[in-house]
Amino acid sequence: MFSKSTLKGIAASLLLVSAQWVDAVPTTSGVSVRADEDYHWVSTWTSMPQLVEQNNMPPSQFVSGGVFKGATLRQTFHLTIGTDRLRIQFSNTFGGSDLPITAATIAFPAGGKAGVAGIDTSTVKPLTFKNGAASITIPRGQVAYTDPIDFKVPADTNIAVSLYFQQGQSGNSITGHPGSRTTSHMQTGNQVNAATLSGGANTKHWYFASAVESWAPANHSAFIILGDSITDGRGSTDDGNNRWPDLLFARMLKNNITHIGVNNQAAGGNTVLSGGLGPTLLTRYKRDALQASGVKYVMIFEGVNDIGNGGTDSGSQNSIVSRLQSAYTQIVKDCKAAGIKTIGATITQFSGSGQSYSNPARDQGRQKINDWILNSKTFDATVDFAKIIGDPNNKAQLARQYDGGDHLHPNVAGFQAMADGFPLEFFR
């Protein structure tokens, strides 16, 4: 017979064990691993999902009878924080039909490089879905995760993900990210384990993949950057991973900030208010920022396409500025309610010969919203990108050494200056 005090002790111990394992996460081997308050999922790479325009669809031989029908797609993604376990999100948000994935694998790319067709076959592992299934059909308008997989990835590392589509996706509406600045490769047949894809085709777009998440300690978190083509990397080097967020992460590592994943949620042509390419910021920020795994920091660096496509009279520009202020305020309010710290960035210059946005009234609008960003105290912190890469002798123009050539998009030197000027104390 146990005494009452002994029985109470046994009961307390059982409750403690139960609490520690209640959120156990299954791995692809079927073995559960501890998942208590010490670990959580953190976004380590993201790609803003959008409807792929017809001119950004896969090469013609891979859309006949179904998108990627009977073909393998291999893509590389640049992860930020390191991890021993990860999962991948695939999106069919804008698909016009269900998305059937027949087989999938993960590996390290040949030479560790971005955009290559080859992989290190000694590192290949199958990806599974729904507790061990080799295939999945993602319903129209939905997303799906792979099962968590044990795959040790150091910080600042590229991974290669290969997908085989036996049936392909019917129709011409698919989800992707055209502005990848990273080469994706495709070949007929099931080649998910092949050392290289040869004799097929390639394109500089991503398709279907929308996030990679790390199983990380509780002190790790995600930094989400909401932006347009400047953040998406127009002006960077293809397969170079030298967009300004990439360069910022490299600087963070040098300063021993290794617990924050940097996630690029930007798209070329995107707007805050209306029009543009992809869903507007006002319609996507909850999905792309507030609902991101492990998010703790959010940055807004967007609005140039709203101003640049607006009218050239002061009334039109004043209206856009007022609406941008309201939009930023709403996003920040929702972030703060969720315990997320925010940073606002000033809109950079776009004046110069041949630039369609160039106009004095539009630049006045840009300067008005920038003054508000810096002085309204709406954000927890700000960064003055316009000052960092602007011409000190002409406030309407980019500095010559940072101008990518179209007087709107910075070059890699400009991206480096932006990364160098970012206030790292924001993360402390």
Side-chain angles (χ1 to χ4, degrees), residues 43 46-51 89 91-95 141-143 145 175-177 209-211 213 224 226-227 263-267 270 277-293 295 298 331 334-335 340:
S43 299
T46 53
S47 172
M48 190 199 109
Q50 60 189 105
L51 176 67
Q89 183 191 81
S91 174
N92 192 26
T93 300
F94 299 99
Q142 301 297 312
V143 301
Y145 280 98
T175 304
H177 189 83
S210 49
E213 297 178 2
I224 307 295
L226 301 169
N263 297 270
N264 194 328
Q265 291 283 40
N270 199 239
L277 297 178
T280 64
L281 183 60
L282 273 178
T283 60
R284 72 180 178 91
Y285 76 90
K286 292 181 179 179
R287 178 198 71 184
D288 292 346
L290 298 184
Q291 296 170 10
S293 293
V295 59
V298 167
I331 296 170
D334 288 345
C335 285
I340 298 168

Side-chain angles (χ1 to χ4, degrees), residues 11 31 36 43 64 91 127 149 174 187 194-195 208 213 228 251 261 282 325 348 350 352 360 375 385:
V31 178
D36 58 19
S43 299
S64 178
S91 174
L127 293 169
I149 182 172
I174 67 172
Q187 186 177 340
F208 311 123
E213 297 178 2
D228 47 44
R251 179 173 168 237
L282 273 178
Q325 291 173 359
T348 50
F350 47 75
N375 298 306
F385 281 157

Side-chain angles (χ1 to χ4, degrees), residues 234-265:
R234 172 122 180 227
S236 64
T237 307
D238 288 342
D239 300 322
N241 286 330
N242 54 9
R243 313 163 190 85
W244 79 260
D246 300 311
L247 300 174
L248 171 62
F249 180 71
R251 179 173 168 237
M252 290 165 62
L253 288 183
K254 290 180 180 178
N255 285 270
N256 297 315
I257 303 175
T258 60
H259 61 290
I260 298 173
V262 176
N263 297 270
N264 194 328
Q265 291 283 40

Side-chain angles (χ1 to χ4, degrees), residues 21 24-27 29-35 85:
W21 288 85
V25 176
T27 67
S29 64
V31 178
S32 292
V33 295
R34 179 168 169 166
R85 177 176 293 111

Side-chain angles (χ1 to χ4, degrees), residues 28 79 82-88 105-109 120 122-127 148-154 157-161 212-215:
T28 52
L79 308 194
T83 188
D84 292 333
R85 177 176 293 111
L86 56 79
R87 66 181 184 179
I88 302 171
T105 62
I106 185 173
F108 287 120
D120 178 353
S122 69
T123 66
V124 176
K125 285 190 175 184
L127 293 169
I149 182 172
D150 294 330
F151 194 81
K152 187 176 179 62
V153 181
T157 298
N158 293 301
I159 62 169
V161 174
V212 180
E213 297 178 2
S214 296
W215 187 238

Side-chain angles (χ1 to χ4, degrees), residues 73-77 114-117 180-186 201-206 238-240 243:
L73 168 66
R74 178 168 291 167
Q75 307 176 99
T76 61
F77 312 128
V116 296
S180 67
R181 273 89 197 175
T182 306
T183 307
S184 297
H185 300 266
M186 53 214 71
N202 63 73
T203 186
K204 290 179 174 58
H205 309 305
W206 282 316
D238 288 342
D239 300 322
R243 313 163 190 85

Side-chain angles (χ1 to χ4, degrees), residues 191-207:
Q191 310 289 341
V192 295
N193 296 311
T196 189
L197 301 190
S198 58
N202 63 73
T203 186
K204 290 179 174 58
H205 309 305
W206 282 316
Y207 301 105

